[in-house]
Amino acid sequence: MADLLRRPRPDARPAGEVQRPFAVVLAPTRELATQIGRDAEDLGRFTDLRSGVVIGGESVERQRRMLDGPPLDILIATPGRLQDWVSRGNVDLSRVQSLVLDEADRMVDMGFLPQVRLLLGRMPDSRYRQTMLFSATVDFRIDNIVRRWTKNPIKVSIEPEQIASDLIEQQIYTVSRSDKIDLLESLLRKEISLGIVFVNTRIMGEKLYERLRQRGIAAGLLSGTRAQNERERTLARFREGKIQVLVATDVASRGIHVDGVSHVINYDLPDNPEDYVHRIGRTGRAGQQGISIGFASEDDAFLLPQLEKYLDRKLPVVRPPGHLLERAEG
């Protein structure tokens, strides 16, 4: 934003004409794009910069009204929906001075490179725009993107002393598959004020969400199976404390910031250790302490060695305290 304010910007076009943003931010998920949009509004509150968000799963008519309105300096988008608006003629990318590719590794994993390639073809050459690429991991795929889409790139690496924050107390509970739901209920009733429970699949997310609701737990579900407006309502209720626990797939592990999350529960241990780090990073934020608890059952306990190797530390693997097992063991 500071760079945009310093640069001379062409005269704004009247409302109703095609949008010609000067900066574009691409994010792989709707939730992350929405979060970036909120941050852009906060950062630009006392400037004359205007920003907008276009993502899939939302009302096309509402987004059309926004694009037909006053000119936007910054456009935050998911690749597919932005490509749609460009093809409709509502957005012209020929004036883009700054491009941000956020969570580039995730964008690769989710198969968005063809859309991103088409969008870059509508923008000025890399010699005439600033391109910023952010990625939690940098492998040959990211290196290829950097070589192809940037000019004279400068690499900035931020290496934390520890992969996971010291503010997060990590522990692993050994528990049988059949007792996981009872253990989770005990945690929610006795220890957790506001928590996120991660599962590996949408099917498991739906199943766990329904079982918690049947047991009288105020739960919400954040999954790709739910419509975007429903996901946003669920997140809003979670932020307001009307939902005690959010059941989520990895769609929520990056870019979702909710103050006051006391616990993250890995109901299923993830196959990828990096996903574990992103998941537990939803707690222990802004200087606050957080607790991460992983359930290691007969289905996924074999993943612990590679997780500990990635973290470069031994995790405490223990039986859950007796008071949490009262329901599970009768």
Side-chain angles (χ1 to χ4, degrees):
M1 279 193 171
D3 188 56
L4 276 180
L5 290 169
R6 286 192 296 265
R7 293 189 187 190
R9 284 173 279 153
D11 293 336
R13 56 60 167 162
E17 291 189 10
V18 63
Q19 289 284 352
R20 295 184 174 90
F22 304 119
V24 169
V25 181
L26 294 178
T29 67
R30 302 164 185 174
E31 284 75 17
L32 180 54
T34 302
Q35 177 69 51
I36 295 170
R38 283 195 292 266
D39 292 341
E41 284 186 9
D42 290 341
L43 290 170
R45 191 175 305 280
F46 301 106
T47 74
D48 63 348
L49 294 175
R50 295 189 72 256
S51 59
V53 179
V54 291
I55 57 177
E58 276 199 347
S59 165
V60 170
E61 188 55 39
R62 187 197 66 78
Q63 292 182 12
R64 187 193 304 278
R65 288 196 299 270
M66 179 189 70
L67 293 175
D68 287 343
L72 300 172
D73 300 289
I74 304 167
L75 190 57
I76 300 108
T78 48
R81 181 51 63 93
L82 180 56
Q83 182 186 352
D84 181 40
W85 285 119
V86 170
S87 66
R88 291 170 184 250
N90 297 83
V91 177
D92 178 357
L93 301 178
S94 63
R95 286 188 179 182
V96 172
Q97 302 172 359
S98 299
L99 168 67
V100 176
L101 299 176
D102 200 12
E103 300 282 9
D105 52 345
R106 186 82 165 172
M107 224 174 274
V108 172
D109 292 339
M110 297 176 71
F112 285 132
L113 287 192
Q115 292 100 320
V116 174
R117 189 180 299 112
L118 288 171
L119 293 170
L120 265 65
R122 301 293 191 101
M123 298 180 188
D125 186 85
S126 59
R127 293 172 294 174
Y128 307 111
R129 70 165 191 269
Q130 181 184 41
T131 303
M132 290 166 280
L133 182 149
F134 297 90
S135 181
T137 58
V138 178
D139 55 20
F140 73 93
R141 303 171 304 170
I142 303 302
D143 285 335
N144 286 339
I145 293 174
V146 170
R147 284 195 298 270
R148 186 184 311 164
W149 293 340
T150 64
K151 184 73 173 178
N152 300 323
I154 297 173
K155 181 178 180 181
V156 178
S157 297
I158 301 174
E159 296 289 346
E161 293 183 5
Q162 291 187 335
I163 292 176
S165 170
D166 279 336
L167 293 173
I168 304 171
E169 177 187 339
Q170 300 178 63
Q171 47 196 321
I172 303 292
Y173 285 166
T174 58
V175 58
S176 67
R177 179 195 311 121
S178 60
D179 285 343
K180 286 167 71 172
I181 182 63
D182 289 337
L183 176 58
L184 178 60
E185 182 183 353
S186 291
L187 281 165
L188 289 169
R189 295 196 184 281
K190 299 175 182 178
E191 296 189 359
I192 297 177
S193 56
L194 196 69
I196 302 178
V197 177
F198 283 102
V199 295
N200 288 349
T201 67
R202 295 177 181 181
I203 293 174
M204 177 54 72
E206 293 278 358
K207 184 183 299 184
L208 183 59
Y209 164 70
E210 291 298 338
R211 293 182 72 180
L212 288 174
R213 283 170 54 87
Q214 290 169 6
R215 293 177 180 225
I217 302 292
L221 177 64
L222 196 64
S223 164
T225 59
R226 297 302 172 102
Q228 181 62 27
N229 58 355
E230 186 176 354
R231 287 154 67 173
E232 290 180 359
R233 285 197 301 269
T234 298
L235 271 174
R237 295 183 65 212
F238 186 59
R239 288 191 172 97
E240 294 164 2
K242 296 177 181 177
I243 293 175
Q244 179 190 4
V245 58
L246 191 66
V247 178
T249 55
D250 281 310
V251 71
S253 65
R254 303 190 189 199
I256 302 301
H257 309 304
V258 177
D259 294 334
V261 173
S262 62
H263 289 69
V264 166
I265 306 295
N266 277 290
Y267 194 82
D268 301 324
L269 294 180
D271 296 327
N272 187 338
E274 292 174 11
D275 289 336
Y276 173 87
V277 174
H278 285 296
R279 288 178 178 186
I280 70 173
R282 301 312 97 201
T283 188
R285 306 181 69 86
Q288 300 296 311
Q289 296 287 328
I291 296 175
S292 163
I293 299 174
F295 289 179
S297 71
E298 59 269 35
D299 297 323
D300 49 18
F302 68 92
L303 295 170
L304 284 173
Q306 69 173 1
L307 176 58
E308 292 178 331
K309 181 179 179 181
Y310 180 76
L311 296 171
D312 194 27
R313 62 180 292 185
K314 294 291 289 183
L315 294 174
V317 180
V318 298
R319 285 281 290 164
H323 71 282
L324 295 176
L325 294 174
E326 292 170 1
R327 179 184 180 103
E329 295 183 349

